[in-house]
Amino acid sequence: MPTDPYFINREKTPSKNQPSTKTTVPKLKKLQGFEGILNFKGYWDDRYNDDGTLHILEIRYFLSDDTIQIVEHDLDGGLKTFLKRQKIPKDRAYVKPPGYNEQNDLLNVLSLNSMNQWYAFDSSKNIIDVHDSYYHWSNLYVGAEIDVFSRKVILSSCDEFTKQYYLDYGLENFPSIDTPNEVEGKEKENIQNIPVCDDENILNKLLSVSKIEALVFKANIVPKEPNNLNREFVIKYFLNDQSFSVSEMKTQTAGALGCRFFSKRKIPMETPNESSMILKLYIGAKLVIDNFQFVLVDIEDRTLRFMMDHPKVFQHSDVTYIMNEVFQFLETDVDSFKNKYFQNKNEIERDIFIKIMSNQFPKLSRHGIFVLALQYKKQEKYKEISDNLFKSILQDELKRDLFLGFDGLEINFKQRNLDKKDGYLEHSSAFKALKSARLPFSTEIINMILKRFTHPETKKVAYMDLLKYLNYTIGPTSESQGLAKDVLYRKPNEVYVRVDEFVNDLRKLL
């Protein structure tokens, strides 16, 4: 049979490697001579979502094939499957594109005739390949946050076998991470350790001679919904009738304290023998008002100073008592403590001071840390507000409230000054006149207004000048660029704590 020239030319032509159509399934990796399980404990906090709860989990990592199984502690004390044993992807590409596990790319070659379509493999591999990335044992450690299909799981502890396994690879630090339940338990323990005064006679005497009108706190609402996470409130406790008012702080609100959340009201006592409500107000305390739970997170300096000036009633604000507690909890000498945590600085920012003290003295109440921050606070100049800016802010507030009762306010002033008619009133009479006119200002701003028009010698208020100052129909100003609450809550540019004096007072306790 004669030879075919086609086959001869084909043998001379170099052959191209044709891609294989056989797909291979990747085999699970196995360790030679060793199989074990790394056991971690962790949690997934889902309480901020609707109907969410705190999930206490056990995470099991199988070294034989790098798979992970997660089980959850049930309320009945049992265990239920949270995630069946499988590999957990790290890249969050949970839904892979079609054909991601094919080794070859199939091209669809079109022709003019639909009956002559044909297919071919792409030998150039131009289509982007999808590489899988899964969690490895090297990614797991105490304190790590792993993404389990969009669920943030925190690893809080591990067993002895897992510790020894990581020790063999040079990892020696195994910190203990508190679960949210443990953190709440410690907070309750700290609150129970806060001393309070039970002598009602001393308390009543204090309330009768008090020079401040109300105790002012900053609070957050305990979030039951995600929308409540960033909401901030101002809670005021009035000493004259032991009532509360709650206002929400909003940057776009024109009012002095933001919008009103709760009107002035009292909180009923749970038991007849319950201690006075004023003794339950401190940083970290929780209040329930009309089924809304608030936690106090900050305090006005004037309120905290009032508590510190009366340590017999507010024993949780006794500086001597708190300093003794710090000295007892101090594990190293004073100089080493200053060099290690304060970098041997004489002054440090207030927020950093509070953070350091909270981390190093977890048994110390947070209210006590705020007391120390105020006790050793460096006095700085407040941000200055010009007279024109202050006047424009006040007039803008009156315009927004559509206040036009300047004639009635003038008559009110003059009726309180019928005996002399000299244009001056006592501070208390002028204050009552402004409050009765229902101006859209808080008590603090009204006192700031009266202070500007008080004569330095007679201590009386020039109410006619005050009227001209507020009356935007007679002497209007340009629109302001600030809000009334910016005047009330103006702060120094930077607040520092005198660490050197704090450390020196600790040395005196030696």
Side-chain angles (χ1 to χ4, degrees):
M1 185 176 189
T3 58
D4 190 350
Y6 171 75
F7 288 101
I8 296 175
N9 294 331
R10 183 174 178 180
E11 291 177 357
K12 294 180 181 180
T13 304
S15 61
K16 296 183 180 179
N17 294 329
Q18 295 296 329
S20 175
T21 60
K22 183 179 179 181
T23 59
T24 58
V25 179
K27 297 181 179 180
L28 297 177
K29 183 188 67 176
K30 293 186 178 181
L31 296 179
Q32 297 180 354
F34 178 79
E35 291 185 4
I37 301 176
L38 303 181
N39 292 284
F40 294 89
K41 291 185 177 180
Y43 62 91
W44 169 43
D45 194 354
D46 189 39
R47 293 176 294 180
Y48 290 159
N49 295 326
D50 293 340
D51 300 327
T53 184
L54 178 65
H55 302 265
I56 305 300
L57 309 173
E58 288 188 10
I59 298 91
R60 302 166 183 171
Y61 182 90
F62 295 86
L63 293 169
S64 59
D65 53 7
D66 295 334
T67 56
I68 297 177
Q69 180 189 24
I70 302 178
V71 295
E72 180 180 359
H73 287 265
D74 201 353
L75 297 177
D76 299 333
L79 296 175
K80 61 181 181 181
T81 302
F82 184 83
L83 180 72
K84 66 180 182 180
R85 182 176 174 181
Q86 60 182 286
K87 289 187 176 183
I88 300 179
K90 290 176 58 179
D91 53 6
R92 302 187 67 177
Y94 308 131
V95 180
K96 301 294 191 303
Y100 76 97
N101 56 351
E102 297 289 341
Q103 293 185 349
N104 303 305
D105 300 325
L106 189 65
L107 300 180
N108 183 9
V109 182
L110 301 178
S111 64
L112 296 178
N113 188 358
S114 61
M115 301 298 294
N116 294 331
Q117 291 182 357
W118 55 282
Y119 301 88
F121 286 108
D122 183 15
S123 59
S124 60
K125 294 185 178 295
N126 292 324
I127 299 180
I128 299 176
D129 193 10
V130 177
H131 298 283
D132 295 327
S133 177
Y134 299 99
Y135 278 102
H136 188 255
W137 62 265
S138 58
N139 305 125
L140 307 181
Y141 53 89
V142 177
E145 179 184 287
I146 62 175
D147 186 283
V148 182
F149 299 100
S150 298
R151 294 163 177 84
K152 302 297 182 181
V153 176
I154 308 297
L155 305 183
S156 58
S157 62
C158 61
D159 61 359
E160 293 299 327
F161 172 80
T162 305
K163 290 182 181 180
Q164 185 61 42
Y165 183 82
Y166 281 96
L167 283 173
D168 296 340
Y169 286 90
L171 181 61
E172 300 179 355
N173 186 19
F174 298 95
S176 179
I177 306 299
D178 294 333
T179 63
N181 286 339
E182 294 173 345
V183 172
E184 292 177 0
K186 290 182 179 180
E187 291 179 353
K188 291 181 180 179
E189 183 180 355
N190 291 337
I191 290 175
Q192 293 175 357
N193 294 332
I194 293 179
V196 295
C197 175
D198 296 329
D199 193 340
E200 292 293 336
N201 295 327
I202 297 178
L203 180 60
N204 294 332
K205 183 179 179 180
L206 171 67
L207 297 178
S208 62
V209 299
S210 175
K211 294 183 179 180
I212 65 174
E213 180 185 4
L215 307 182
V216 183
F217 296 87
K218 181 181 177 181
N220 293 337
I221 192 170
V222 177
K224 293 183 180 179
E225 299 178 359
N227 295 334
N228 293 335
L229 289 176
N230 299 322
R231 300 178 69 179
E232 296 180 340
F233 299 85
V234 174
I235 296 181
K236 300 180 70 174
Y237 177 77
F238 297 91
L239 301 180
N240 56 351
D241 56 358
Q242 290 82 51
S243 61
F244 286 88
S245 70
V246 181
S247 301
E248 185 172 3
M249 299 176 61
K250 290 185 177 180
T251 56
Q252 297 180 354
T253 301
L257 290 175
C259 64
R260 179 177 296 179
F261 192 76
F262 282 135
S263 60
K264 190 175 179 182
R265 65 188 67 185
K266 292 185 178 182
I267 298 179
M269 292 186 179
E270 297 180 358
T271 59
N273 298 327
E274 189 177 358
S275 59
S276 178
M277 183 60 68
I278 192 175
L279 302 178
K280 301 179 182 180
L281 301 178
Y282 43 80
I283 303 299
K286 294 182 179 180
L287 298 175
V288 179
I289 306 176
D290 287 356
N291 296 326
F292 287 89
Q293 188 175 20
F294 300 91
V295 56
L296 305 182
V297 297
D298 205 345
I299 186 172
E300 186 189 36
D301 287 354
R302 186 176 56 173
T303 300
L304 186 56
R305 180 62 66 183
F306 171 76
M307 293 182 174
M308 294 167 60
D309 293 340
H310 301 86
K312 291 184 178 180
V313 178
F314 306 101
Q315 297 180 15
H316 51 65
S317 301
D318 188 354
V319 179
T320 304
Y321 174 81
I322 297 172
M323 289 294 290
N324 290 329
E325 276 195 327
V326 173
F327 183 76
Q328 293 177 3
F329 297 149
L330 194 62
E331 297 179 354
T332 60
D333 59 282
V334 178
D335 294 330
S336 300
F337 172 72
K338 180 181 179 182
N339 295 334
K340 183 177 181 180
Y341 299 107
F342 298 124
Q343 286 80 38
N344 205 20
K345 295 181 180 179
N346 294 330
E347 297 175 357
I348 196 171
E349 294 183 8
R350 177 179 179 266
D351 294 339
I352 298 178
F353 176 82
I354 293 175
K355 183 178 180 180
I356 292 175
M357 296 295 291
S358 300
N359 294 335
Q360 301 306 317
F361 302 99
K363 295 183 179 180
L364 188 65
S365 67
R366 189 166 180 82
H367 184 89
I369 298 175
F370 277 71
V371 170
L372 296 179
L374 180 60
Q375 176 69 16
Y376 297 99
K377 174 184 175 182
K378 181 182 178 182
Q379 299 298 328
E380 297 283 352
K381 292 183 178 180
Y382 283 85
K383 296 179 180 178
E384 296 183 357
I385 299 180
S386 63
D387 186 71
N388 290 333
L389 177 59
F390 184 69
K391 181 179 180 181
S392 62
I393 290 176
L394 296 180
Q395 291 190 1
D396 283 351
E397 296 296 323
L398 294 172
K399 292 177 184 178
R400 291 189 183 100
D401 199 61
L402 302 178
F403 182 83
L404 295 172
F406 298 104
D407 295 336
L409 182 58
E410 181 179 358
I411 295 173
N412 195 341
F413 278 129
K414 291 181 177 180
Q415 287 180 348
R416 297 175 185 273
N417 193 26
L418 293 176
D419 52 346
K420 294 184 179 180
K421 299 181 180 180
D422 55 354
Y424 288 90
L425 273 178
E426 297 290 341
H427 185 280
S428 59
S429 298
F431 179 83
K432 292 178 181 179
L434 292 177
K435 292 291 287 185
S436 63
R438 297 185 179 275
L439 297 176
F441 304 133
S442 65
T443 302
E444 289 82 357
I445 292 184
I446 290 178
N447 287 326
M448 295 172 63
I449 297 173
L450 295 177
K451 185 178 179 181
R452 286 180 175 259
F453 295 93
T454 301
H455 195 275
E457 296 180 358
T458 61
K459 304 299 181 182
K460 291 185 178 182
V461 179
Y463 60 83
M464 294 303 298
D465 296 337
L466 189 152
L467 279 171
K468 294 179 182 179
Y469 189 82
L470 297 178
N471 196 340
Y472 58 85
T473 61
I474 298 177
T477 60
S478 58
E479 294 184 359
S480 65
Q481 300 297 324
L483 302 175
K485 72 182 185 66
D486 298 332
V487 179
L488 178 60
Y489 294 104
R490 71 190 194 280
K491 297 291 184 181
N493 293 325
E494 293 179 347
V495 181
Y496 286 90
V497 177
R498 294 174 278 112
V499 178
D500 53 347
E501 296 188 16
F502 168 66
V503 173
N504 291 334
D505 290 344
L506 281 179
R507 290 195 186 98
K508 297 178 183 178
L509 300 177
L510 296 175

